[in-house]
Amino acid sequence: MEKKKVLLAEDNPVNQKVASLIIKKLNYDPVIVDSGLKALEAVKRNKYHAVFMDVQMPEMDGLQATRSIRTWEAQHRPEYPVVIIAITASALEGDREACLSAGMDDFIAKPFTVEEMREVLEKNHPHG
């Protein structure tokens, strides 16, 4: 059986490496992009099990990218909205609200553990 793909939108190379290793450990196939704009393009081309979206990125930040993905999905793929999970170094209460109001499904703070990533994926995909 083919592994489910998880899109990781993260511009920091160290964070890319750490997160992709965790994604692999959880038995998913990581696809890495380094900007919100590239994340939007990737979602338009492929279906993903989930998207881990860094909030602060160049070109287009994670909030703007999420709003753009949700707008595109509503027009082109309303039956399959992708789960988008914010990853951010800033875990203040207002940040969580900003992420959710942009259309993200959940929120995880850096640095995160394997268990935290597993939990957030399971919570948002209770049936696999």
Side-chain angles (χ1 to χ4, degrees):
M1 190 175 135
E2 190 177 325
K3 286 184 180 178
K4 293 178 181 172
K5 290 182 187 165
V6 170
L7 182 65
L8 173 64
E10 166 65 70
D11 62 316
N12 180 294
V14 173
N15 292 342
Q16 286 175 355
K17 189 169 183 84
V18 171
S20 67
L21 288 171
I22 292 173
I23 291 166
K24 285 178 187 171
K25 187 170 185 156
L26 295 174
N27 210 27
Y28 294 97
D29 187 16
V31 176
I32 301 169
V33 294
D34 62 4
S35 75
L37 192 58
K38 290 177 184 169
L40 172 62
E41 293 306 314
V43 169
K44 287 179 178 180
R45 286 191 309 273
N46 295 293
K47 288 185 179 179
Y48 294 94
H49 184 71
V51 176
F52 283 98
M53 181 78 74
D54 186 21
V55 174
Q56 296 178 332
M57 288 184 289
E59 286 187 285
M60 178 187 285
D61 71 24
L63 300 177
Q64 190 180 352
T66 298
R67 285 190 287 269
S68 297
I69 288 168
R70 295 302 187 214
T71 299
W72 180 84
E73 283 177 332
Q75 296 169 349
H76 298 96
R77 207 163 53 205
E79 75 291 350
Y80 189 82
V82 68
V83 169
I84 301 176
I85 300 159
I87 51 175
T88 180
S90 179
L92 303 173
E93 188 60 38
D95 296 326
R96 181 181 179 86
E97 295 309 312
C99 291
L100 297 177
S101 68
M104 293 179 174
D105 298 286
D106 215 327
F107 180 95
I108 190 169
K110 295 177 199 173
F112 41 80
T113 64
V114 173
E115 201 48 46
E116 286 170 326
M117 276 188 113
R118 180 191 332 272
E119 285 174 13
V120 78
L121 283 167
E122 288 176 357
K123 185 169 97 180
N124 288 284
H125 281 289
H127 306 293

